[in-house]
Amino acid sequence: MLEILTITLPIFILIGAGFLAAFSEVLSRDNMQGIATFVMFFALPSLLIRALTATPLEEALNIGYLLAYGLGSLLVFAVGIALARWRGHALDAAAIHALGMSAANSGFIGYPVAVMVIGPPAAIFMALNMVVETLLIIPMALTLAEASRHDGGGLTQIVRKTLVRLSRNPVLIGLLTGMVLALTGWQLPTPLAKAIDMLAEAAGPAALFTIGGMLHGLKVRGMAANMGQIVIGKLLLHPLAVLAFLLLLPEPDPMMIAGGLLFACAPMISVYPLFGKQFDQGDTSAAALMVGTLASFLTISLSIWLLTQVGLLPI
């Protein structure tokens, strides 16, 4: 257990440092937002570009992993929609609840944890996870939420609005850039490649620090049922679903199982409250993010311990 804590504690110490910086007003909310913007627009896209260009495409594009992680996430999304609707929520609220249950914070928490546990392959798994999150789960949630509130514009207009929003997503741009470079074999100029390497190295610590700062000021008030569904769905159902589909693969690679489980154990995406706010779920999504991030310390530590017990991790 001590070896596991040496992995997870630095992660949450960095989150705690960001929280203390915001709490003590060493950094204002605007300052923290500036760091978040740096991570989202520069560090994470650079990390994805480096991951996709540093590994042969046939190794990076692991179809089995992509299918298992995608189907596991899709199953939890469907369960989230059904459960929220059964509890009396409108479709837009149900879509936001399901989004929180099925889209992991792969870049800000999943990657920093996974890279300490499994090393360089974590970057490839992160890229594949972000394909699922940015091209499947997030568009589906936003399309359903928009459809619930449509003003007569029709499905075509709703889908177009969602695609326009996604086309401005820097993470998606980084994914597509990395894919183009990997497919064509083009080499970036050396100075630019080195700059991308430097930005990629900053992604992990800056992301964790930002998460801590974002947690400051979030409050949990009178929303235990909704928050409980989202947090339990994300930290328990999502990892179990992803694990189940990974185990169904023919001769699954232990590294793939460890990577998929660790990423699925991460809490919900950091921009989750921003999506929630658009559909009157801002308080619930912010509270779920706070509780989910804090509780993930236990679930991630437990997952690492279980992986070591079954021999999938040599810690």
Coordinates of all heavy atoms in Angstrom, one line a residue, residues 175-244:
L175 N -5.9 16.3 -31.6 CA -6.1 14.9 -32.1 C -6.0 14.8 -33.6 O -5.3 13.9 -34.1 CB -7.5 14.3 -31.6 CG -7.6 13.7 -30.2 CD1 -9.0 13.5 -29.9 CD2 -6.8 12.4 -30.1
L176 N -6.7 15.6 -34.3 CA -6.7 15.6 -35.7 C -5.4 15.9 -36.3 O -4.9 15.3 -37.3 CB -7.8 16.5 -36.3 CG -9.2 16.2 -35.9 CD1 -10.2 17.2 -36.5 CD2 -9.6 14.8 -36.5
T177 N -4.7 16.9 -35.7 CA -3.3 17.3 -36.2 C -2.4 16.1 -36.0 O -1.6 15.8 -36.9 CB -2.8 18.5 -35.4 OG1 -3.7 19.6 -35.6 CG2 -1.4 18.9 -35.9
G178 N -2.4 15.4 -34.9 CA -1.6 14.3 -34.6 C -1.9 13.1 -35.6 O -0.9 12.5 -36.1
M179 N -3.2 12.9 -35.9 CA -3.5 11.9 -36.8 C -3.0 12.2 -38.2 O -2.5 11.3 -38.9 CB -5.1 11.7 -36.8 CG -5.6 11.1 -35.6 SD -5.2 9.4 -35.3 CE -6.1 8.6 -36.7
V180 N -3.2 13.4 -38.6 CA -2.7 13.8 -40.0 C -1.2 13.6 -40.1 O -0.7 13.0 -41.1 CB -3.0 15.2 -40.3 CG1 -2.3 15.7 -41.5 CG2 -4.6 15.4 -40.5
L181 N -0.4 14.0 -39.1 CA 1.0 13.8 -39.1 C 1.4 12.4 -39.1 O 2.3 11.9 -39.8 CB 1.6 14.5 -37.9 CG 1.6 16.1 -37.9 CD1 2.1 16.6 -36.6 CD2 2.4 16.6 -39.0
A182 N 0.7 11.6 -38.3 CA 1.0 10.1 -38.2 C 0.6 9.4 -39.6 O 1.4 8.5 -40.0 CB 0.2 9.5 -37.1
L183 N -0.5 9.8 -40.2 CA -0.9 9.2 -41.5 C 0.1 9.5 -42.6 O 0.4 8.7 -43.5 CB -2.3 9.6 -41.8 CG -3.4 8.9 -41.0 CD1 -4.8 9.6 -41.2 CD2 -3.5 7.4 -41.3
T184 N 0.5 10.8 -42.7 CA 1.3 11.3 -43.8 C 2.8 11.0 -43.6 O 3.5 11.0 -44.5 CB 1.1 12.8 -44.0 OG1 1.4 13.5 -42.8 CG2 -0.4 13.1 -44.3
G185 N 3.2 10.9 -42.3 CA 4.6 10.7 -42.0 C 5.4 12.0 -42.1 O 6.6 12.0 -42.0
W186 N 4.7 13.1 -42.1 CA 5.4 14.4 -42.1 C 6.1 14.6 -40.8 O 5.6 14.3 -39.7 CB 4.4 15.6 -42.3 CG 3.8 15.5 -43.7 CD1 4.2 14.9 -44.8 CD2 2.5 16.2 -44.1 NE1 3.4 15.1 -45.9 CE2 2.3 15.9 -45.5 CE3 1.6 17.0 -43.4 CZ2 1.3 16.4 -46.2 CZ3 0.5 17.5 -44.2 CH2 0.4 17.2 -45.5
Q187 N 7.3 15.2 -40.9 CA 8.0 15.6 -39.7 C 8.0 17.1 -39.4 O 8.1 17.9 -40.3 CB 9.5 15.2 -39.9 CG 9.7 13.7 -40.1 CD 9.4 12.9 -38.8 OE1 9.7 13.3 -37.7 NE2 8.8 11.7 -39.0
L188 N 7.7 17.4 -38.2 CA 7.7 18.8 -37.8 C 9.1 19.3 -37.8 O 10.0 18.6 -37.5 CB 7.0 19.0 -36.4 CG 5.5 18.6 -36.3 CD1 5.1 18.7 -34.8 CD2 4.7 19.6 -37.1
P189 N 9.3 20.6 -38.1 CA 10.6 21.2 -37.9 C 11.1 21.0 -36.5 O 10.3 21.1 -35.5 CB 10.3 22.7 -38.2 CG 9.1 22.7 -39.1 CD 8.3 21.6 -38.6
T190 N 12.4 20.8 -36.4 CA 13.0 20.5 -35.1 C 12.6 21.5 -34.0 O 12.2 21.1 -32.9 CB 14.5 20.4 -35.2 OG1 14.8 19.3 -36.1 CG2 15.1 20.0 -33.8
P191 N 12.7 22.8 -34.2 CA 12.4 23.8 -33.2 C 10.9 23.6 -32.7 O 10.6 23.7 -31.5 CB 12.6 25.2 -33.8 CG 13.6 24.9 -34.9 CD 13.3 23.5 -35.4
L192 N 10.0 23.4 -33.7 CA 8.6 23.3 -33.4 C 8.4 22.0 -32.6 O 7.6 21.9 -31.6 CB 7.8 23.3 -34.6 CG 6.2 23.2 -34.4 CD1 5.7 24.2 -33.5 CD2 5.5 23.2 -35.8
A193 N 9.0 20.9 -33.0 CA 8.9 19.6 -32.3 C 9.4 19.7 -30.9 O 8.8 19.2 -29.9 CB 9.7 18.5 -33.1
K194 N 10.5 20.4 -30.7 CA 11.0 20.6 -29.3 C 10.0 21.5 -28.4 O 9.8 21.2 -27.2 CB 12.4 21.2 -29.3 CG 13.5 20.3 -29.8 CD 14.8 20.9 -29.8 CE 15.9 19.9 -30.2 NZ 17.3 20.5 -30.1
A195 N 9.5 22.5 -29.1 CA 8.5 23.3 -28.3 C 7.3 22.5 -27.9 O 6.8 22.6 -26.8 CB 8.1 24.5 -29.2
I196 N 6.8 21.6 -28.8 CA 5.7 20.7 -28.5 C 6.0 19.8 -27.4 O 5.2 19.5 -26.5 CB 5.2 20.0 -29.8 CG1 4.5 20.9 -30.7 CG2 4.3 18.8 -29.4 CD1 4.1 20.3 -32.0
D197 N 7.3 19.3 -27.4 CA 7.7 18.4 -26.3 C 7.7 19.1 -25.0 O 7.2 18.6 -23.9 CB 9.1 17.9 -26.5 CG 9.2 16.7 -27.5 OD1 8.1 16.1 -27.7 OD2 10.3 16.5 -28.1
M198 N 8.1 20.4 -24.9 CA 8.2 21.1 -23.7 C 6.7 21.4 -23.2 O 6.5 21.3 -22.0 CB 8.9 22.5 -23.9 CG 10.4 22.3 -24.2 SD 11.2 23.8 -24.8 CE 11.2 24.8 -23.3
L199 N 5.9 21.8 -24.1 CA 4.5 22.0 -23.7 C 3.8 20.7 -23.2 O 3.1 20.7 -22.2 CB 3.7 22.5 -24.9 CG 3.9 24.0 -25.3 CD1 3.3 24.3 -26.7 CD2 3.4 24.9 -24.2
A200 N 4.1 19.6 -23.9 CA 3.6 18.3 -23.4 C 4.0 17.9 -22.0 O 3.2 17.4 -21.2 CB 4.0 17.2 -24.4
E201 N 5.2 18.2 -21.7 CA 5.7 17.9 -20.3 C 5.0 18.7 -19.3 O 4.9 18.3 -18.1 CB 7.2 18.2 -20.3 CG 8.1 17.2 -21.1 CD 8.0 15.8 -20.6 OE1 7.8 15.6 -19.4 OE2 8.1 14.9 -21.4
A202 N 4.5 19.9 -19.6 CA 3.9 20.7 -18.7 C 2.4 20.3 -18.4 O 1.8 20.8 -17.5 CB 3.9 22.2 -19.1
A203 N 1.9 19.4 -19.3 CA 0.4 19.2 -19.2 C 0.0 18.6 -17.9 O -1.0 19.0 -17.3 CB 0.1 18.2 -20.4
G204 N 0.7 17.5 -17.4 CA 0.3 16.8 -16.2 C 0.2 17.7 -15.0 O -0.8 17.9 -14.4
P205 N 1.4 18.3 -14.6 CA 1.4 19.1 -13.3 C 0.5 20.3 -13.4 O -0.2 20.6 -12.5 CB 2.8 19.5 -13.1 CG 3.5 19.1 -14.4 CD 2.7 18.1 -15.1
A206 N 0.5 21.0 -14.5 CA -0.4 22.2 -14.7 C -1.9 21.8 -14.6 O -2.7 22.5 -14.0 CB -0.1 22.9 -16.0
A207 N -2.2 20.7 -15.2 CA -3.6 20.2 -15.2 C -4.1 19.9 -13.8 O -5.2 20.3 -13.4 CB -3.8 19.0 -16.1
L208 N -3.2 19.2 -13.0 CA -3.6 18.9 -11.6 C -3.7 20.1 -10.8 O -4.7 20.2 -10.0 CB -2.6 17.9 -11.1 CG -2.5 16.5 -11.7 CD1 -1.3 15.8 -11.2 CD2 -3.8 15.7 -11.4
F209 N -2.8 21.0 -10.9 CA -2.9 22.3 -10.2 C -4.2 23.0 -10.5 O -4.8 23.6 -9.6 CB -1.6 23.1 -10.5 CG -1.5 24.3 -9.7 CD1 -0.8 24.3 -8.4 CD2 -2.0 25.6 -10.1 CE1 -0.6 25.4 -7.7 CE2 -1.8 26.7 -9.3 CZ -1.2 26.6 -8.1
T210 N -4.5 23.0 -11.8 CA -5.8 23.7 -12.2 C -7.0 23.1 -11.6 O -7.9 23.8 -11.1 CB -5.9 23.7 -13.7 OG1 -4.7 24.3 -14.3 CG2 -7.1 24.5 -14.2
I211 N -7.1 21.8 -11.5 CA -8.2 21.1 -11.0 C -8.4 21.5 -9.5 O -9.5 21.8 -9.1 CB -8.0 19.6 -11.0 CG1 -8.2 19.1 -12.4 CG2 -9.0 18.8 -10.1 CD1 -9.7 19.1 -12.9
G212 N -7.3 21.6 -8.8 CA -7.4 22.0 -7.4 C -7.9 23.4 -7.2 O -8.8 23.7 -6.4
G213 N -7.5 24.3 -8.1 CA -8.0 25.7 -8.1 C -9.5 25.8 -8.4 O -10.2 26.6 -7.8
M214 N -9.9 24.9 -9.3 CA -11.3 25.0 -9.7 C -12.2 24.4 -8.6 O -13.4 24.8 -8.6 CB -11.5 24.1 -11.0 CG -10.9 24.8 -12.2 SD -11.0 23.7 -13.7 CE -12.8 23.6 -13.9
L215 N -11.7 23.6 -7.8 CA -12.5 23.0 -6.7 C -12.8 24.0 -5.6 O -13.9 23.9 -5.0 CB -11.8 21.8 -6.1 CG -11.6 20.5 -6.9 CD1 -10.9 19.5 -6.2 CD2 -13.0 20.0 -7.4
H216 N -12.0 25.0 -5.5 CA -12.2 26.0 -4.5 C -13.5 26.8 -4.8 O -13.7 27.3 -5.9 CB -11.0 27.0 -4.4 CG -11.3 28.1 -3.4 ND1 -11.5 27.9 -2.1 CD2 -11.4 29.5 -3.6 CE1 -11.7 29.1 -1.5 NE2 -11.6 30.1 -2.4
G217 N -14.3 26.9 -3.8 CA -15.6 27.7 -4.0 C -16.8 26.9 -4.4 O -17.9 27.4 -4.4
L218 N -16.5 25.6 -4.9 CA -17.7 24.8 -5.2 C -18.4 24.4 -3.9 O -17.8 24.0 -2.9 CB -17.2 23.6 -6.0 CG -16.6 23.9 -7.3 CD1 -16.2 22.6 -8.0 CD2 -17.4 24.7 -8.2
K219 N -19.7 24.3 -4.0 CA -20.5 24.0 -2.8 C -21.5 22.8 -3.1 O -21.9 22.7 -4.2 CB -21.3 25.2 -2.3 CG -20.4 26.4 -2.0 CD -21.2 27.6 -1.4 CE -20.3 28.8 -1.2 NZ -19.2 28.5 -0.2
V220 N -21.7 22.1 -2.0 CA -22.7 21.0 -2.2 C -23.9 21.3 -1.3 O -23.8 21.3 -0.1 CB -22.0 19.6 -1.7 CG1 -23.0 18.5 -1.8 CG2 -20.8 19.4 -2.5
R221 N -25.0 21.6 -1.9 CA -26.2 22.0 -1.1 C -27.5 21.3 -1.7 O -27.8 21.5 -2.8 CB -26.4 23.5 -1.2 CG -25.4 24.3 -0.5 CD -25.8 25.7 -0.4 NE -26.2 26.3 -1.6 CZ -25.4 27.0 -2.4 NH1 -24.1 27.2 -2.0 NH2 -25.8 27.5 -3.6
G222 N -28.1 20.4 -0.9 CA -29.4 19.9 -1.3 C -29.5 19.2 -2.6 O -30.5 19.3 -3.3
M223 N -28.4 18.5 -3.0 CA -28.4 17.8 -4.3 C -27.8 16.4 -4.2 O -27.2 15.9 -5.1 CB -27.7 18.6 -5.3 CG -26.3 19.0 -4.9 SD -25.6 20.3 -6.0 CE -26.4 21.8 -5.4
A224 N -28.0 15.8 -3.0 CA -27.3 14.5 -2.7 C -27.7 13.4 -3.7 O -26.9 12.7 -4.2 CB -27.6 14.1 -1.3
A225 N -29.0 13.3 -4.1 CA -29.5 12.3 -4.9 C -28.9 12.4 -6.3 O -28.3 11.4 -6.9 CB -31.0 12.3 -5.0
N226 N -29.0 13.5 -6.9 CA -28.5 13.7 -8.3 C -26.9 13.6 -8.3 O -26.4 12.9 -9.2 CB -28.8 15.1 -8.8 CG -30.3 15.2 -9.1 OD1 -31.0 14.2 -9.3 ND2 -30.8 16.5 -9.0
M227 N -26.3 14.2 -7.3 CA -24.8 14.1 -7.2 C -24.4 12.7 -7.0 O -23.4 12.2 -7.6 CB -24.3 15.0 -6.1 CG -22.8 15.1 -6.0 SD -22.4 16.0 -4.5 CE -23.1 15.0 -3.2
G228 N -25.1 11.9 -6.1 CA -24.8 10.6 -5.9 C -24.9 9.7 -7.1 O -24.0 8.8 -7.3
Q229 N -25.9 9.9 -7.9 CA -26.0 9.1 -9.1 C -24.8 9.3 -10.0 O -24.2 8.4 -10.6 CB -27.3 9.5 -9.9 CG -27.4 8.8 -11.3 CD -28.5 9.3 -12.2 OE1 -29.5 9.7 -11.7 NE2 -28.2 9.4 -13.5
I230 N -24.4 10.6 -10.2 CA -23.3 10.9 -11.1 C -22.0 10.4 -10.6 O -21.2 9.8 -11.3 CB -23.3 12.5 -11.3 CG1 -24.5 13.0 -12.0 CG2 -22.1 12.8 -12.2 CD1 -24.7 14.5 -11.9
V231 N -21.7 10.6 -9.3 CA -20.4 10.2 -8.7 C -20.3 8.7 -8.7 O -19.3 8.1 -9.1 CB -20.2 10.8 -7.3 CG1 -19.0 10.3 -6.7 CG2 -20.1 12.3 -7.4
I232 N -21.3 8.0 -8.2 CA -21.3 6.5 -8.2 C -21.2 6.0 -9.6 O -20.4 5.0 -9.9 CB -22.5 6.0 -7.5 CG1 -22.4 6.3 -6.0 CG2 -22.6 4.5 -7.6 CD1 -23.7 6.0 -5.2
G233 N -21.9 6.6 -10.5 CA -21.9 6.1 -11.9 C -20.5 6.3 -12.5 O -19.9 5.4 -13.2
K234 N -19.8 7.4 -12.2 CA -18.5 7.7 -12.8 C -17.4 6.8 -12.2 O -16.6 6.3 -12.9 CB -18.2 9.2 -12.6 CG -16.8 9.5 -13.3 CD -16.9 9.4 -14.8 CE -15.5 9.1 -15.4 NZ -15.0 7.8 -15.1
L235 N -17.4 6.8 -10.8 CA -16.3 6.1 -10.1 C -16.4 4.6 -10.0 O -15.4 4.0 -9.7 CB -16.1 6.8 -8.8 CG -15.7 8.3 -8.8 CD1 -15.5 8.8 -7.4 CD2 -14.5 8.6 -9.7
L236 N -17.6 4.1 -10.1 CA -17.8 2.7 -10.0 C -18.4 2.0 -11.2 O -17.7 1.1 -11.8 CB -18.8 2.4 -8.8 CG -18.3 2.8 -7.4 CD1 -19.4 2.4 -6.4 CD2 -17.0 2.0 -7.1
L237 N -19.5 2.5 -11.8 CA -20.1 1.8 -13.0 C -19.2 2.0 -14.2 O -19.0 1.0 -14.9 CB -21.4 2.4 -13.3 CG -22.6 2.2 -12.2 CD1 -23.9 2.8 -12.7 CD2 -22.7 0.7 -12.0
H238 N -18.6 3.2 -14.4 CA -17.8 3.4 -15.6 C -16.6 2.5 -15.6 O -16.3 1.8 -16.6 CB -17.4 4.8 -15.7 CG -16.8 5.2 -17.1 ND1 -15.8 6.1 -17.2 CD2 -17.0 4.7 -18.3 CE1 -15.5 6.2 -18.5 NE2 -16.2 5.3 -19.2
P239 N -15.8 2.4 -14.5 CA -14.6 1.5 -14.5 C -15.0 0.0 -14.7 O -14.4 -0.7 -15.4 CB -14.0 1.7 -13.1 CG -14.4 3.1 -12.8 CD -15.8 3.3 -13.3
L240 N -16.1 -0.4 -14.0 CA -16.5 -1.8 -14.1 C -17.0 -2.1 -15.6 O -16.7 -3.2 -16.1 CB -17.7 -2.0 -13.2 CG -17.3 -2.1 -11.7 CD1 -18.5 -2.2 -10.8 CD2 -16.3 -3.2 -11.4
A241 N -17.7 -1.2 -16.2 CA -18.1 -1.4 -17.6 C -17.0 -1.5 -18.6 O -16.9 -2.4 -19.4 CB -19.1 -0.3 -18.0
V242 N -16.0 -0.6 -18.4 CA -14.8 -0.6 -19.3 C -14.0 -1.9 -19.1 O -13.6 -2.5 -20.0 CB -14.0 0.7 -19.1 CG1 -12.6 0.5 -19.7 CG2 -14.7 1.9 -19.6
L243 N -13.9 -2.2 -17.8 CA -13.1 -3.5 -17.5 C -13.8 -4.7 -18.1 O -13.1 -5.6 -18.6 CB -13.0 -3.6 -16.0 CG -12.3 -4.9 -15.4 CD1 -10.9 -4.9 -15.9 CD2 -12.4 -4.9 -13.9
A244 N -15.1 -4.7 -18.0 CA -15.9 -5.9 -18.5 C -15.6 -6.0 -20.0 O -15.4 -7.2 -20.5 CB -17.3 -5.8 -18.2

